[in-house]
């Protein structure tokens, strides 16, 4: 996409294209280390061509010097679709990736077969008309927690309680 290499991996060969752009965390390599996600991708690949994308600056995609705009990331998705010869795809993403997918769908409706949005957010920061997002101070606390805790079991266990409480006592998960 321009001068930046965007990593992607395609599995399956069905008649439907599904473009999977992870939310804030995750990459092409870690997908295959997560049994539930792997099973889900394999199930999708039994009837669809599924292409997972490492967003610009993440995973195996090229590093960048600044945070890309949504428009730039949207163009990256278009470039991946062009590279795999996809005229139209279902866009599947989570969290902040929903903003990317909805912008793509609004800009390229003819290339969008559908949207699958898990835990979508419309904005990243709290405003009077969107009180569900984090405040600036809450973001500072969260980012500090991530920086200090990333890769540590206690940090991941706290996230598990919040994100998947039913799996809290499941050591396999």
């Amino acid at each position: 996409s321009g001068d930046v290499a965007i990593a992607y991996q395609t599995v399956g060969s069905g008649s439907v294209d599904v473009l999977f752009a992870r939310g804030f965390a995750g990459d092409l390599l870690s997908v295959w280390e997560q049994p539930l996600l792997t099973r889900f991708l394999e199930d999708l690949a039994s009837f669809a061509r599924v292409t997972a994308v490492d967003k610009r600056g993440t995973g195996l995609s090229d590093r960048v010097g600044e945070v890309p705009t949504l428009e730039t990331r949207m163009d990256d998705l278009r470039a991946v679709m062009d590279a795999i010869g996809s005229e139209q795809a279902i866009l599947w993403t989570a969290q902040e990736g929903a903003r990317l997918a909805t912008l793509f769908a609004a800009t390229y409706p003819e290339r969008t077969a559908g949207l699958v949005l898990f835990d979508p957010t419309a904005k990243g920061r709290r405003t009077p008309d969107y009180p569900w997002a984090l405040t600036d101070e809450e973001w500072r606390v969260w980012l500090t927690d991530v920086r200090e805790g990333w890769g540590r079991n206690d940090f991941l266990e706290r996230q598990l309680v919040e994100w998947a409480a039913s799996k809290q006592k499941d050591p396999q998960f």
Side-chain angles (χ1 to χ4, degrees), residues 120-137:
T121 58
K123 291 184 179 183
R125 295 169 68 192
R126 184 176 297 172
T127 59
D129 65 336
Y130 195 76
W132 305 280
L134 298 178
T135 64
D136 289 349
E137 180 56 30

